[in-house]
Amino acid sequence: MATRLTVGQAVVAFLAAQHARRDGQTRRFFAGVFGIFGHGNVAGLGEALLHPPAALPFYVPRNEQAMVHTAAAFAKASNRLRAMVCTSSIGPGATNMITAAAGATINRLPVLLLPGDIFATRRPDPVLQQLESSGSRDVSVNDCFKPISRYWDRINRPEQLPSALLEAMRVLTSPADTGAVTLALPQDVQAEAWDFPEALVEPRVWDIPRARADAAAVDAAVAAIRRSTRPLLIAGGGVLYSEATAALRLFAEQTGIPACETQAGKGALPFDHGQSVGAIGATGTSAANILARQADLVIVVGSRLGDFTTASKTAFAADGVRFINVNVTELDARKHAALPVVGDARVTLEELRTALSGWHVSASYAAEAASLKSAWEREVDRIYAPRGSQPISQGEVIGILNAALAPTDVVLCAAGSLPGDLHKLWRTRTPGGYHLEYGYSCMGYEIAGGLGVRMALPDRGVYVMVGDGSYLMMAQEIVTAVQESIKLTIVLLDNQGYSSIGGLSASVGCDGFGTRYRFRSRSGELDGDAVPVDFVANAESMGAQAIKACTRNEITAALTAAKAHAGVSVIVIPVDREVRVPSYESWWDVPVAATSPRDAVQRARASYDASRKNVRDYLSASTPPADGDPT
Ligand SMILES: Cc1ncc(C[n+]2csc(CCOP(=O)(O)OP(=O)(O)O)c2C)c(N)n1
Ligand SMILES: [Mg+2]
């Protein structure tokens, strides 16, 4: 049986009929469509969405980059079991999506992008906004999506649509392959009618597997853990996506192995769990980083082992340190020459725990981890404590917010100095309560992302922490939140520019150059007075309740007012740019100029050269040849 539909109509009917199932629970996969129309999608997809199916509500955001951030945050907060669709016109609307699409792919989050594209027939060449190439007519700006999409296609004929849609779904629902998927839809093809097979738009369920690891790899991992004396667990985002937090807790409790967390994995254990030693790496706690330095075996669950996690390959310093990487993705499972355990986090942790029955780390190692942990908690208390001076420090604000929030509330952030401070200091009590986009660390994700989290988790309070720099880059989705009656609390920390990069600049001998928001002075430099921005008026103009809060009491009162307000609240807090949370037993590789007339740069380079000596390659094979193997 065939059904006559335009390509746009077939796409919409197909998307509304897709479901995902894991652990026997089936959900609609797509929760809605974000779109900004132009000539590239208004007639084709626009007509198809004119009366959107109830399953696929349509939302109008204010910026295409932001809508893809919102979609990515929605997928992250849904543990990748649900996703959103984003449609744009051709040209700038499409390329606006690229930054956030890269972020989704880097963070392994499913988003479906439907940019309009230039005419497949090419008759009106060049159409408005078409990029022309002298070397080929088969080029459009949508080719820019290729390297940042896990699946990319251009539908030049209606017959190509069914296989492309199935491939898109395979990738979006694959724990190992997921990321941004782009189906470029030429504007003429969107409007073309075709007799599509009815089976294409029938309800379909995609099973999201819990892949079991190779039995020999699990045996080898168990043997390596039994031999280890100072093992350390690293929980990455994969623990949350796999909903493996209970399995991780039981594994840690049974074996006594201390567990630390990446940015994406933070909250896998409650901060006060006996085995939790908090954040690892460049933005890690003293407890985790001291244990990492001496670990003989690092058991990594669901992490891509980015440079912040490994402290640029200096975090694990013991001779002969080995890695076991539990990951659904081979790429990650093989990193650091690890023993690869390619499988789902939850089932693999359960298998490992069963096989390790009766084994426990030594009492002295457990006691050492516990004492490092209590020393760390005292340090957090110190930073949270009132300093009694103005402007307030960022660390204090984090403490006030942490105390005011309910255990299930979500704190969200992406870029600036806040992510590092939050990674160290935030006391997460519930999985999903800490939402950091730190794969791409994209300024502008914060408010758009907060919207996506609240859409995914309408019963959880969402608190967006954002720097003044990020806010000025992308605050306009406040209007979308107001339009949709979505409650959000935005905590804006104003330090008049880029405190994070300012600190980094000073550390490489460059004195914070170009990181302060200052008027150009008579000297011709940007070193005049601070450029004033009235953030309260700005937020109010978009329909938010906005409150300036400078002291501890004012911040607490503003949070109470935000709780009572049904819509968007923005709390503007001036903070001390120079009072920074230090790093603990850690390093981050940012190369310093090797020659410079500046003394400060030369000193920074000398210190950089000394630190760089600690970088390790982690090449030692996890499974050396056994006796009798040919070598
Ligand atoms: C889109 C984007 N551009 C540039 C950067 C590099 N960058 C990282 S943090 C930062 C400054 C952020 O300023 P703000 O939001 O005020 O936070 P603060 O550093 O003051 O804490 C910059 C420019 C980035 N991460 N993302
Ligand atoms: Mg700032």
Side-chain angles (χ1 to χ4, degrees):
M1 287 287 285
T3 172
R4 192 154 185 84
L5 297 168
T6 67
V7 165
Q9 291 160 357
V11 167
V12 170
F14 175 87
L15 298 178
Q18 304 309 300
H19 300 76
R21 177 167 53 206
R22 188 166 71 180
D23 305 325
Q25 221 188 321
T26 306
R27 308 163 182 82
R28 269 187 206 286
F29 188 65
F30 294 108
V33 180
F34 287 108
I36 293 184
F37 291 121
H39 61 285
N41 60 343
V42 71
L45 269 176
E47 189 279 339
L49 286 165
L50 194 54
H51 301 291
L56 218 52
F58 183 75
Y59 301 95
V60 181
R62 296 299 179 273
N63 174 292
E64 292 91 353
Q65 178 184 326
M67 76 184 174
V68 181
H69 286 319
T70 304
F74 177 91
K76 183 176 168 87
S78 308
N79 292 332
R80 312 195 295 201
L81 299 170
R82 295 197 304 154
M84 303 282 298
V85 184
C86 297
T87 171
S88 75
S89 188
I90 70 174
T95 51
N96 262 359
M97 296 200 289
I98 285 177
T99 296
T105 294
I106 285 164
N107 286 295
R108 320 267 169 92
L109 294 169
V111 296
L112 176 60
L113 309 176
L114 304 175
D117 212 326
I118 56 173
F119 281 66
T121 62
R122 301 188 189 161
R123 292 187 71 192
D125 261 16
V127 65
L128 175 69
Q129 301 173 333
Q130 177 169 341
L131 173 102
E132 288 183 276
S133 158
S134 58
S136 171
R137 298 312 291 172
D138 191 22
V139 167
S140 89
V141 292
N142 287 341
D143 290 277
C144 297
F145 285 93
K146 284 181 181 171
I148 53 158
S149 298
R150 301 311 300 269
Y151 180 78
W152 182 98
D153 214 338
R154 181 181 280 131
I155 311 302
N156 281 313
R157 292 200 47 82
E159 301 95 305
Q160 295 169 337
L161 187 65
S163 61
L165 286 172
L166 294 185
E167 279 299 281
M169 284 306 299
R170 173 185 68 75
V171 171
L172 288 167
T173 58
S174 158
D177 279 350
T178 198
V181 166
T182 303
L183 297 182
L185 300 172
Q187 67 176 99
D188 51 346
V189 179
Q190 282 179 46
E192 206 169 311
W194 190 256
D195 290 323
F196 288 99
E198 245 172 34
L200 177 67
V201 295
E202 282 167 4
R204 199 178 293 266
V205 178
W206 297 83
D207 277 301
I208 299 186
R210 290 199 176 277
R212 272 156 214 285
D214 174 62
V218 173
D219 289 348
V222 169
I225 295 170
R226 285 183 180 276
R227 276 197 310 271
S228 69
T229 54
R230 302 183 63 87
L232 178 67
L233 267 164
I234 298 182
V239 173
L240 293 165
Y241 299 146
S242 158
E243 296 174 340
T245 55
L248 178 80
R249 182 171 51 74
L250 292 175
F251 180 87
E253 284 169 2
Q254 180 187 302
T255 59
I257 302 176
C260 56
E261 303 167 322
T262 69
Q263 282 277 16
K266 189 168 162 85
L269 291 179
F271 82 96
D272 53 357
H273 184 273
Q275 255 69 49
S276 169
V277 289
I280 174 81
T283 52
T285 68
S286 52
N289 284 339
I290 290 170
L291 290 174
R293 189 175 306 147
Q294 299 163 25
D296 62 346
L297 182 68
V298 184
I299 307 157
V300 185
V301 189
S303 170
R304 57 198 282 271
L305 290 171
D307 64 347
F308 266 73
T309 297
T310 67
S312 304
K313 299 197 177 168
T314 60
F316 315 105
D319 282 344
V321 59
R322 292 287 190 278
F323 298 83
I324 294 172
N325 291 0
V326 177
N327 207 293
V328 282
T329 307
E330 271 195 354
L331 170 72
D332 297 318
R334 290 276 179 187
K335 285 175 181 169
H336 293 193
L339 173 69
V341 184
V342 182
D344 168 73
R346 186 202 280 186
V347 294
T348 308
L349 282 167
E350 280 163 2
E351 279 185 32
L352 289 172
R353 180 169 64 85
T354 310
L356 283 165
S357 163
W359 183 86
H360 197 278
V361 297
S362 71
S364 62
Y365 182 54
E368 187 184 332
S371 115
L372 286 167
K373 166 74 180 297
S374 15
W376 171 253
E377 289 307 325
R378 286 195 297 278
E379 175 66 358
V380 178
D381 289 338
R382 184 186 71 80
I383 294 171
Y384 277 7
R387 281 164 59 246
S389 55
Q390 292 294 326
I392 197 165
S393 73
Q394 185 159 290
E396 259 189 88
V397 175
I398 291 173
I400 298 167
L401 190 65
N402 193 273
L405 264 53
T408 55
D409 287 342
V410 181
V411 70
L412 180 146
C413 192
S417 56
L418 277 164
D421 292 1
L422 287 166
H423 194 211
K424 290 170 218 168
L425 303 177
W426 190 257
R427 289 172 162 164
T428 317
R429 287 168 282 178
T430 318
Y434 182 86
H435 182 122
L436 252 288
E437 189 285 282
Y438 213 64
Y440 212 35
S441 188
C442 186
M443 290 171 74
Y445 176 90
E446 297 89 345
I447 294 171
L451 192 59
V453 174
R454 181 72 180 188
M455 288 171 80
L457 307 170
D459 299 330
R460 294 179 77 163
V462 178
Y463 290 78
V464 172
M465 293 200 83
V466 62
D468 54 324
S470 277
Y471 180 92
L472 288 173
M473 228 181 238
M474 196 165 278
Q476 76 293 329
E477 296 313 308
I478 288 176
V479 183
T480 311
V482 169
Q483 156 194 305
E484 300 294 338
S485 305
I486 288 173
K487 181 177 165 74
L488 271 189
T489 302
I490 298 165
V491 181
L492 193 176
L493 302 198
D494 181 9
N495 52 25
Q496 298 175 340
Y498 307 154
S499 159
S500 53
I501 308 299
L504 186 59
S505 165
S507 78
V508 298
C510 296
D511 200 24
F513 170 69
T515 64
R516 298 179 187 92
Y517 290 158
R518 300 279 177 154
F519 282 107
R520 193 169 299 284
S521 71
R522 285 214 194 94
S523 69
E525 306 288 330
L526 288 173
D527 59 359
D529 290 342
V531 181
V533 178
D534 188 341
F535 288 107
V536 168
N538 178 282
E540 279 174 350
S541 76
M542 290 187 274
Q545 158 184 281
I547 305 166
K548 185 165 180 178
C550 300
T551 64
R552 294 182 72 92
N553 286 347
E554 284 169 5
I555 296 169
T556 307
L559 286 166
T560 307
K563 276 186 198 166
H565 181 60
V568 180
S569 299
V570 178
I571 304 173
V572 181
I573 307 175
V575 287
D576 192 325
R577 180 188 165 98
E578 302 304 333
V579 182
R580 296 188 172 87
V581 179
S583 70
Y584 296 87
E585 312 281 340
S586 199
W587 182 70
W588 186 36
D589 190 341
V590 178
V592 180
T595 177
S596 169
R598 289 175 61 84
D599 284 351
V601 174
Q602 290 165 18
R603 279 196 304 277
R605 178 68 195 200
S607 145
Y608 174 72
D609 285 336
S611 301
R612 208 166 47 150
K613 295 202 174 82
N614 300 325
V615 173
R616 297 274 301 264
D617 291 318
Y618 305 130
L619 294 176
S620 299
S622 58
T623 44
D627 289 347
D629 279 353
T631 51

